[in-house]
Amino acid sequence: MTAEAEQLAGRILKGERRALSRAVTLVESTRADHRAAATALLEVLRKHKRQALRIGLSGPPGVGKSTFVEAFGMMLVKAGVRIAVLAVDPSSARSGGSILGDKTRMDRLSRVASAFIRPSPSMRHPGGVSRRTREAVALCEAAGFDVVLIETVGVGQSETMVAGMCDLFVLLLAPAGGDELQGVKRGIMESADLILVNKADGDLKPAATRTLADYAGALRLLRKRPQDPKGFPKALPISALELHGLDQAWAEMQALAAWRKAKGHWNVRRAGQAIHWFEEEVRAGLLARLKDDARVKRTMAAHGAAVAAEKISPDAAAAEMLAWLKG
Amino acid sequence: MTAEAEQLAGRILKGERRALSRAVTLVESTRADHRAAATALLEVLRKHKRQALRIGLSGPPGVGKSTFVEAFGMMLVKAGVRIAVLAVDPSSARSGGSILGDKTRMDRLSRVASAFIRPSPSMRHPGGVSRRTREAVALCEAAGFDVVLIETVGVGQSETMVAGMCDLFVLLLAPAGGDELQGVKRGIMESADLILVNKADGDLKPAATRTLADYAGALRLLRKRPQDPKGFPKALPISALELHGLDQAWAEMQALAAWRKAKGHWNVRRAGQAIHWFEEEVRAGLLARLKDDARVKRTMAAHGAAVAAEKISPDAAAAEMLAWLKG
């Protein structure tokens, strides 16, 4: 560990936002020396065992996630709760990032000293998104934030990924016309601890009430999970615009987190997630060897050429290759 | 190779349907002795280098895939073309299979001697679906079928998988009310060689014409692919019910296949697919080692326990595990 990294660790632990920003940039880098520095930094910070409440937030485009995060974040800040917001944008690999790309969408929150907002980086290596996010979460925890909110759009794999690294998972939805469940995947419904039906205001109020009843019904159909106290998972109406229901939503989150801590579910869940990410990293590392090791790559290419020339079947070639990798 | 397997190979090459059925059952089995027998059988059959036209067929539920396959298949049979139909049902892992599960949906085709219909098996190992399907296709080719149609529902990964093992890919759609592109993923649009808008009959005819124009427009926006002759990919109206347009669809498929063979694209595509499946099998095999090798499994579990106890971070544990696997 270099003196520079040690100094950075110290500044992060003191809660300096600029140091935190620099560290997040470091974990986002794929340069080998940055990777090594990031790993060393995280190892130092890990020993301090600081924990935040990790809240995963997802919902389809257009439900008002930015408005919610701004309003919810400002409410926490006023209550003296320090909040960090991280975004995971699955589309950023192509589009160069859209969520939080424009900080003006969270105009007030982004200017508050006790809040930290980090847009989704443009990801050239989609496989690295989960590690980068987990590391950024760890950095925010070390910097002493009370809440780390991880926001993502409800499409693709990113939702499952975020659900796999948070202490509680919130699904934000808009009032709908009684049609299908807004394309919300069943798997994600099963991950949700709290469903917030936003825009329960003005003309949309009756529709919000109906949507709420639909989702409350859907939640009752789900199998009871041991990590849920009575009444959870729960659906609530909110209006991020008129600031209705945000305090109740926060009270429910705190009650759920407290219950899970008291009953031991919190630690069990974090341990399970840690094992999951360890296994994911091993799998990713194994597969990376096929691309990164020059000798392995050459042997793969030679077998591939034999397959293309129909000298050997794909499956027989794979069996040979696997035997070679083992030996 | 046992005498029994040798006899089975001989009967398949003669085009015996019952032998083909037994062989497909063999490749669907996960029993080690069955696996070995299937591999030996496929190796013998491969040497005969028989090729069918592999047609991938996909489309959302309710577009009339079964009616189309029945009508299209009967037309081919009457023209002396032998057709085999294989189904890939991504939901069958849970539901126990639904596509073609009820052969009565293809009542006539299933009773024709020169046709072969194989429902989707119930898949306990989703990872094995692609191998099983590729092997079943190879068996049908060895049995002398002229056309192998691989049918799947347009949801999840199965569509991409089927597109990756066919010579041409057909997307079957229903007339729609000018709304979104029926949830057809862009990636799949890009794989389609032919879009057939079904139900271009009766009251739905005007809607079918509009839908056709929408899709023809969408296809024109796609990047030109080298493997396409002028005018492809193409959208056509059909009615599987009134038997309109099926002959033209078949003529287009034949023209496309002939052009690709003449220009060398056919072989290039098959070679590319073979390399792809070889690489997929290597990746699957590498990952399987983590679960199947007892010593590896024990070491994974020990590292996982250390991670859960927070003695080591998930990433550091993964790095140790990968070094152990290599050494």
Side-chain angles (χ1 to χ4, degrees):
Chain A
M1 180 116 172
T2 63
E4 199 193 7
E6 226 162 295
Q7 197 208 6
L8 189 60
R11 289 174 55 204
I12 291 167
L13 289 163
K14 271 185 230 148
E16 280 184 37
R17 283 217 303 189
R18 283 186 57 189
L20 176 59
S21 272
R22 272 197 50 205
V24 175
T25 304
L26 198 65
V27 302
E28 282 171 4
S29 170
T30 51
R31 257 176 56 181
D33 56 335
H34 289 172
R35 247 324 53 230
T39 304
L41 177 67
L42 287 160
E43 208 49 38
V44 170
L45 297 175
R46 213 171 65 82
K47 294 190 168 59
H48 292 265
K49 301 203 176 200
R50 289 192 183 161
Q51 286 194 343
L53 172 59
R54 303 176 186 169
I55 303 175
L57 175 74
S58 180
V63 297
K65 278 191 295 297
S66 300
T67 314
F68 170 79
V69 173
E70 166 97 343
F72 185 74
M74 286 307 293
M75 183 188 73
L76 293 195
V77 163
K78 278 175 199 158
V81 180
R82 300 184 68 214
I83 179 171
V85 181
L86 301 171
V88 180
D89 184 353
S91 68
S92 65
R94 278 158 290 150
S95 69
S98 59
I99 307 187
L100 294 181
D102 184 3
K103 274 197 186 182
T104 54
R105 291 201 288 155
M106 293 179 195
D107 191 29
R108 292 164 64 212
L109 193 61
S110 63
R111 279 182 286 131
V112 170
S114 60
F116 177 80
I117 298 188
R118 184 75 182 195
S120 188
S122 77
M123 279 299 166
R124 260 155 294 165
H125 302 278
V129 177
S130 78
R131 175 146 77 176
R132 167 261 166 193
T133 309
R134 284 183 286 124
E135 289 177 346
V137 168
L139 291 171
C140 292
E141 290 189 308
F145 284 95
D146 304 299
V147 168
V148 179
L149 196 144
I150 314 150
E151 178 199 345
T152 192
V153 185
V155 287
Q157 299 295 325
S158 69
E159 211 170 27
T160 312
M161 189 198 91
V162 169
M165 58 176 69
C166 63
D167 301 313
L168 55 90
F169 189 69
V170 178
L171 201 52
L172 192 69
L173 296 168
D179 53 345
E180 282 300 298
L181 297 180
Q182 295 180 35
V184 176
K185 282 158 277 163
R186 193 184 158 78
I188 282 306
M189 276 288 283
E190 283 168 356
S191 304
D193 296 303
L194 206 58
I195 288 181
L196 301 178
V197 179
N198 194 18
K199 305 187 182 177
D201 47 44
D203 289 352
L204 287 171
K205 213 162 180 178
T209 307
R210 272 199 313 274
T211 302
L212 194 71
D214 289 348
Y215 278 94
L219 287 178
R220 275 192 297 274
L221 292 177
L222 293 179
R223 199 154 36 92
K224 184 96 182 86
R225 304 174 302 182
Q227 73 268 33
D228 289 332
K230 209 169 161 332
F232 278 93
K234 195 171 272 189
L236 295 176
I238 63 160
S239 165
L241 199 68
E242 298 185 352
L243 307 179
H244 285 318
L246 298 178
D247 47 353
Q248 199 199 333
W250 175 232
E252 297 286 2
M253 292 179 205
Q254 286 177 288
L256 180 60
W259 188 87
R260 284 190 181 159
K261 270 191 177 157
K263 298 290 182 185
H265 295 297
W266 174 288
N267 284 336
V268 168
R269 181 176 170 126
R270 285 217 169 187
Q273 289 176 344
I275 292 177
H276 168 75
W277 293 117
F278 154 65
E279 291 173 348
E280 278 291 304
E281 286 293 327
V282 173
R283 284 189 284 262
L286 272 182
L287 296 184
R289 214 185 134 197
L290 296 178
K291 281 186 186 172
D292 300 343
D293 183 317
R295 211 165 67 94
V296 173
K297 219 171 141 182
R298 266 201 310 277
T299 316
M300 279 294 279
H303 279 76
V307 166
E310 288 183 52
K311 283 184 194 144
I312 187 169
S313 77
D315 300 295
E320 274 188 15
M321 187 70 210
L322 288 164
W324 182 87
L325 281 166
K326 235 179 159 176
Chain B
M1 179 118 174
T2 64
E4 201 191 6
E6 226 163 296
Q7 199 208 4
L8 189 59
R11 288 174 56 204
I12 290 168
L13 288 164
K14 272 185 231 149
E16 280 184 37
R17 284 219 300 190
R18 286 186 56 191
L20 176 59
S21 273
R22 272 198 50 208
V24 176
T25 304
L26 198 65
V27 302
E28 283 170 3
S29 171
T30 50
R31 258 178 55 184
D33 55 335
H34 288 173
R35 230 6 7 248
T39 303
L41 177 65
L42 287 160
E43 208 49 40
V44 170
L45 296 176
R46 212 172 64 82
K47 294 191 168 59
H48 292 265
K49 302 204 172 196
R50 289 191 184 163
Q51 287 193 341
L53 172 60
R54 301 177 186 168
I55 303 175
L57 175 74
S58 181
V63 295
K65 278 192 294 300
S66 300
T67 314
F68 170 78
V69 173
E70 167 96 342
F72 185 73
M74 286 308 292
M75 184 188 72
L76 293 194
V77 162
K78 278 176 198 158
V81 179
R82 301 185 68 211
I83 179 172
V85 181
L86 301 171
V88 179
D89 183 354
S91 68
S92 67
R94 279 156 291 150
S95 69
S98 58
I99 307 186
L100 293 181
D102 185 1
K103 277 198 188 180
T104 55
R105 291 199 289 154
M106 293 178 197
D107 192 29
R108 292 164 64 211
L109 193 60
S110 64
R111 281 183 283 128
V112 170
S114 59
F116 177 80
I117 299 188
R118 185 73 180 198
S120 189
S122 76
M123 280 295 165
R124 259 155 293 165
H125 302 278
V129 178
S130 78
R131 175 145 77 176
R132 168 262 165 195
T133 308
R134 283 182 288 124
E135 290 178 343
V137 169
L139 291 172
C140 291
E141 289 189 308
F145 284 95
D146 304 300
V147 168
V148 179
L149 195 145
I150 314 150
E151 179 198 345
T152 193
V153 185
V155 287
Q157 299 297 326
S158 70
E159 213 169 25
T160 312
M161 188 197 90
V162 168
M165 59 174 69
C166 63
D167 301 311
L168 55 92
F169 189 68
V170 178
L171 203 52
L172 192 70
L173 297 168
D179 53 346
E180 282 299 298
L181 296 181
Q182 295 182 36
V184 175
K185 282 157 278 163
R186 192 184 159 78
I188 282 307
M189 276 286 283
E190 283 168 356
S191 304
D193 296 301
L194 206 58
I195 289 182
L196 301 178
V197 179
N198 194 17
K199 303 185 185 178
D201 47 45
D203 289 353
L204 287 172
K205 212 161 181 178
T209 307
R210 273 198 311 275
T211 303
L212 194 70
D214 289 349
Y215 278 94
L219 287 178
R220 274 193 297 273
L221 293 178
L222 292 179
R223 198 154 38 91
K224 184 94 183 86
R225 304 174 303 180
Q227 72 269 32
D228 290 333
K230 208 170 163 334
F232 279 93
K234 196 170 272 188
L236 294 176
I238 62 159
S239 165
L241 199 67
E242 297 186 353
L243 307 179
H244 285 319
L246 298 179
D247 45 355
Q248 200 199 333
W250 174 231
E252 297 286 2
M253 293 180 205
Q254 285 177 289
L256 180 59
W259 188 87
R260 285 191 179 157
K261 271 191 178 159
K263 298 289 181 185
H265 295 297
W266 174 289
N267 284 336
V268 168
R269 181 176 170 127
R270 284 217 170 188
Q273 290 176 342
I275 293 178
H276 168 76
W277 293 117
F278 154 65
E279 291 172 351
E280 277 292 304
E281 286 293 326
V282 173
R283 285 190 282 263
L286 272 181
L287 298 182
R289 212 184 136 197
L290 297 177
K291 281 187 184 171
D292 300 342
D293 182 317
R295 212 165 66 95
V296 174
K297 218 170 140 182
R298 267 201 311 275
T299 314
M300 279 293 280
H303 279 77
V307 166
E310 288 183 52
K311 284 183 196 146
I312 187 169
S313 77
D315 300 294
E320 274 188 16
M321 188 69 210
L322 286 165
W324 182 87
L325 280 168
K326 234 178 158 176

